[in-house]
């Protein structure tokens, strides 16, 4: 019988309920995470969208930033969407003064690269390992990935328009990140992909 992984959703800001619903629909048990002891109870973690500078400051206030870094360094699977992508990046461009990240993915991410809230848009993205049907992605004040290290696999790029070819989905080992918000679409392929990654990880350990 396949084990049911417990996947946390960092509940400092963002679409926490929507991510939890998508994880449950993907066969995982969802748990909100605000404290270090809750972090220790999960097999994997989702870092949702929101505002990356606020998320960083709240993680500091809740004494979560260092525990998050240690769990990621120790091999905990993590998935970041939008601001969560920024939080998993090793390097940021256009960040706030002194802005810190959890890190783990060898990439440079540009904050608010696609523009302000009014510049939010939807676009189809073909995602490696998630079927042949393009994913209808929602971008809200989204970042993009400017560069990646050799260990990073590009899972998807923006299709069409002036930003065609921009990297918007990546994976490095047990870490996955997207510039868009899959929790808002009703298409849970990204969450299925991540839940399967967490499940495989727990079975290997």
């Amino acid at each position: 019988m396949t084990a049911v992984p417990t996947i946390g959703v960092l509940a400092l800001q963002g679409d926490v309920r929507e991510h939890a619903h998508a994880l449950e629909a993907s066969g995982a048990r969802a748990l909100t995470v605000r404290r270090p002891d809750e972090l220790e109870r999960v097999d994997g973690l989702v870092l949702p969208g929101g505002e990356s500078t606020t998320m960083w400051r709240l993680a500091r206030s809740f004494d979560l930033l260092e525990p998050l870094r240690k769990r990621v360094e120790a091999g905990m699977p993590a998935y970041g969407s939008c601001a969560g992508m920024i939080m998993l990046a090793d390097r940021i461009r256009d960040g706030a003064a002194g802005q810190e990240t959890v890190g783990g993915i060898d990439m440079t991410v540009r904050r608010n690269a696609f523009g302000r809230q009014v510049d939010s848009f939807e676009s189809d993205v073909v995602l490696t390992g998630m079927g042949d049907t393009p994913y209808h992605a929602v971008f809200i004040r989204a970042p993009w990935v400017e560069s990646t290290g050799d260990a990073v696999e590009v899972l998807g790029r923006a299709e069409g328009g002036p930003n065609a070819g921009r990297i918007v989905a990546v994976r490095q080992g047990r870490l996955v990140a997207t510039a868009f918000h899959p929790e808002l679409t009703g298409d849970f392929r990204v969450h299925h992909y991540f839940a399967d990654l967490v499940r495989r990880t727990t079975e290997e350990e």
Side-chain angles (χ1 to χ4, degrees):
M1 182 175 178
T2 303
V4 176
T6 298
I7 301 179
V9 182
L10 188 63
L12 302 178
Q13 190 195 35
D15 297 329
V16 176
R17 285 187 303 174
E18 291 84 352
H19 275 292
H21 172 68
L23 290 169
E24 297 278 357
S26 302
R29 182 182 301 108
L31 176 72
T32 55
V33 172
R34 294 186 184 87
R35 301 190 303 270
D37 64 302
E38 293 168 336
L39 179 62
E40 290 304 314
R41 293 161 51 193
V42 303
D43 303 310
L45 184 71
V46 171
L47 292 84
E51 214 292 317
S52 62
T53 57
T54 301
M55 196 176 295
W56 149 55
R57 293 187 178 108
L58 287 173
R60 273 285 180 212
S61 297
F62 280 76
D63 293 323
L64 265 174
L65 194 59
E66 290 306 325
L68 283 167
R69 286 172 174 161
K70 288 179 180 177
R71 284 296 313 269
V72 167
E73 288 172 1
M76 177 187 70
Y79 161 60
S81 64
C82 197
M85 169 183 261
I86 296 171
M87 290 293 286
L88 289 178
D90 283 346
R91 299 169 298 277
I92 310 175
R93 289 192 176 163
D94 289 342
Q99 184 171 352
E100 299 176 272
T101 69
V102 174
I105 300 181
D106 182 12
M107 63 180 175
T108 300
V109 169
R110 183 173 294 277
R111 181 170 164 262
N112 296 339
F114 284 104
R116 300 171 297 164
Q117 190 86 11
V118 295
D119 300 311
S120 300
F121 66 100
E122 300 179 16
S123 176
D124 286 344
V125 178
V126 176
L127 296 173
T128 301
M130 301 181 214
D132 297 328
T133 304
Y135 193 98
H136 192 68
V138 177
F139 294 84
I140 303 172
R141 293 181 63 197
W144 66 44
V145 179
E146 297 225 324
S147 63
T148 63
D150 293 340
V152 179
E153 178 188 5
V154 174
L155 298 180
R157 296 177 182 268
E159 302 279 334
N163 298 308
R166 291 291 186 182
I167 300 170
V168 294
V170 295
R171 175 178 175 179
Q172 182 174 341
R174 296 175 177 177
L175 304 178
V176 180
T178 65
F180 52 86
H181 291 260
E183 77 281 4
L184 299 179
T185 64
D187 183 340
F188 298 144
R189 278 182 283 166
V190 174
H191 291 86
H192 276 286
Y193 180 89
F194 182 61
D196 286 343
L197 170 61
V198 177
R199 189 177 294 110
R200 291 195 303 273
T201 300
T202 57
E203 290 173 351
E204 290 168 1
E205 294 179 344

